[in-house]
Amino acid sequence: PLGEALCERLVDLRVIPYYRHQLDRVAGAAHFEVPVAKGQQIIRQLRERLPVVGADGETSHLAVRLTQPGGAGRSRFAFLYLHGFGSAQSGEKADYFRARAVAEGFPFCSFDFRGHGESGGTMRELTFSRNLEDLGVVHDFLAGQGLGAVVLIGSSMGGATALWHAARRPAQVLASLLIAPAVGIGRGLERWAG
């Protein structure tokens, strides 16, 4: 309602579609559909808080954002973006890839690893195993949306996590785009944690 009205008004004002991702943050909407621009496709925006259980047994959550173009054809896969250490899914790289994927008619998903962005947890408990668990939860969520096959886009820590995930689920990872994958991050995290 509020999100739709705000987005429709901004579309009428010819707001650049690339910056559409900011509109739903302002409106606080968890799910809505709006035209990107007059006469163009409908966008389905879904924000979820997926539950995860930490090492201490406490339940936390992963902040997930799935953007799907509407229209006649339905994609059999989604792009899945994995951010780097200390970054978040709201960064410029994710925004750029989201805009390009959706413009070409492909679903795009991103999430914040625990201890980052809008997800629960802390950086202090960050491990590769936990990152792989987080990625597995999001991948399973996508499968539940009919998007079990993914193309991973990983930056730095996300790139290294993507490599391991692709090795664990080769039939479900169609391809990977890795931006400066931090394959030696484990040693760096050990030094950082003390």
Side-chain angles (χ1 to χ4, degrees), residues 17-25 47 65 95 98:
Y18 177 80
Y19 293 102
R20 246 197 55 64
H21 68 276
Q22 295 178 0
L23 305 181
D24 57 337
R25 273 193 223 130
R47 289 187 182 258
R65 181 176 170 202
D95 291 342
R98 181 183 312 279

Side-chain angles (χ1 to χ4, degrees), residues 85-86 114-116 122-127 130 157 185-194:
F85 179 78
R114 276 181 272 179
H116 292 79
T122 67
M123 291 272 257
R124 191 52 119 165
E125 290 126 13
L126 177 67
T127 64
R130 187 177 83 173
M157 176 187 77
I185 195 170
R187 291 183 299 278
L189 287 175
E190 289 171 5
R191 285 193 301 274
W192 173 76

Side-chain angles (χ1 to χ4, degrees), residues 57-131:
E58 294 293 317
T59 300
S60 188
H61 72 279
L62 298 173
V64 178
R65 181 176 170 202
L66 174 60
T67 307
Q68 293 182 282
R74 178 159 166 85
S75 179
R76 294 183 299 178
F77 73 91
F79 286 96
L80 177 53
Y81 181 79
L82 314 174
H83 66 77
F85 179 78
S87 188
Q89 67 172 314
S90 59
E92 290 177 0
K93 282 182 237 157
D95 291 342
Y96 173 80
F97 287 118
R98 181 183 312 279
R100 301 289 56 88
V102 172
E104 294 299 321
F106 297 105
F108 187 93
C109 184
S110 60
F111 72 100
D112 291 322
F113 286 107
R114 276 181 272 179
H116 292 79
E118 298 176 14
S119 287
T122 67
M123 291 272 257
R124 191 52 119 165
E125 290 126 13
L126 177 67
T127 64
F128 255 112
S129 296
R130 187 177 83 173
N131 282 357

Side-chain angles (χ1 to χ4, degrees), residues 172-188:
Q172 296 170 313
V173 177
L174 302 177
S176 298
L177 170 62
L178 308 176
I179 304 164
V183 293
I185 195 170
R187 291 183 299 278

